[in-house]
Amino acid sequence: MPAWTDDELRRIDRADELDIAAVRRTGQLRRATPIWVVRVGDDVYVRAAYGSGSGWSGVARGSGQAHIRAGGIERDVAVEDVAESLLDEVDAAYRSKYGRYASIVDSITDAEHRATTLRLVPREPR
């Protein structure tokens, strides 16, 4: 799979939100949902605010695919679960980027929400 370019990483990182449209098992896109997005190194991560099996997250986990828009970037992505060893770094990225929303950041970095962490990996264009 291709890697994110430096420009894509910078633009996604600067965006307050990312719109994610999970791909259903039928291949159809679900309606896009705005979510917070963080960058750790050369990777992009998101978390589900309403639990891992609900809404966009459950569909994306099931198909392993989504379409995203953020910072003028639009890409098809693979959706992957994240190793537990990376969760502290992702928490730190959420706190750094969204710290002005302290109560929401406290929620999104709790044990329940940490378990919903997904890595977005760019896919080749169709």
Side-chain angles (χ1 to χ4, degrees):
M1 286 192 199
W4 295 107
T5 67
D6 289 337
D7 181 56
E8 288 172 324
L9 287 168
R10 274 192 300 278
R11 290 168 67 182
I12 290 171
D13 190 40
R14 279 191 229 135
D16 280 337
E17 293 181 323
L18 174 141
D19 290 324
I20 188 165
V23 177
R24 299 178 193 275
R25 289 179 195 247
T26 63
Q28 293 178 312
L29 286 178
R30 220 179 158 266
R31 183 178 41 134
T33 301
I35 59 172
W36 284 355
V37 58
V38 295
R39 172 186 178 182
V40 176
D42 291 337
D43 290 312
V44 173
Y45 298 93
V46 295
R47 287 185 174 163
Y50 300 109
S52 62
S54 64
W56 69 267
S57 178
V59 174
R61 271 198 153 110
S63 70
Q65 299 177 61
H67 184 82
I68 59 117
R69 287 186 311 267
I73 303 299
E74 192 164 345
R75 292 291 299 259
D76 290 326
V77 295
V79 177
E80 301 177 349
D81 286 319
V82 177
E84 193 171 327
S85 61
L86 294 171
L87 296 179
D88 288 342
E89 289 180 76
V90 176
D91 285 350
Y94 272 101
R95 285 188 187 99
S96 175
K97 184 171 181 177
Y98 299 106
R100 65 192 180 275
Y101 306 107
S103 64
I104 299 170
V105 170
D106 288 345
S107 172
I108 203 84
T109 56
D110 69 14
E112 177 186 352
H113 292 93
R114 284 168 57 105
T116 71
T117 306
L118 298 170
R119 182 170 75 125
L120 305 180
V121 180
R123 297 171 53 104
E124 290 290 341
R126 295 181 192 173

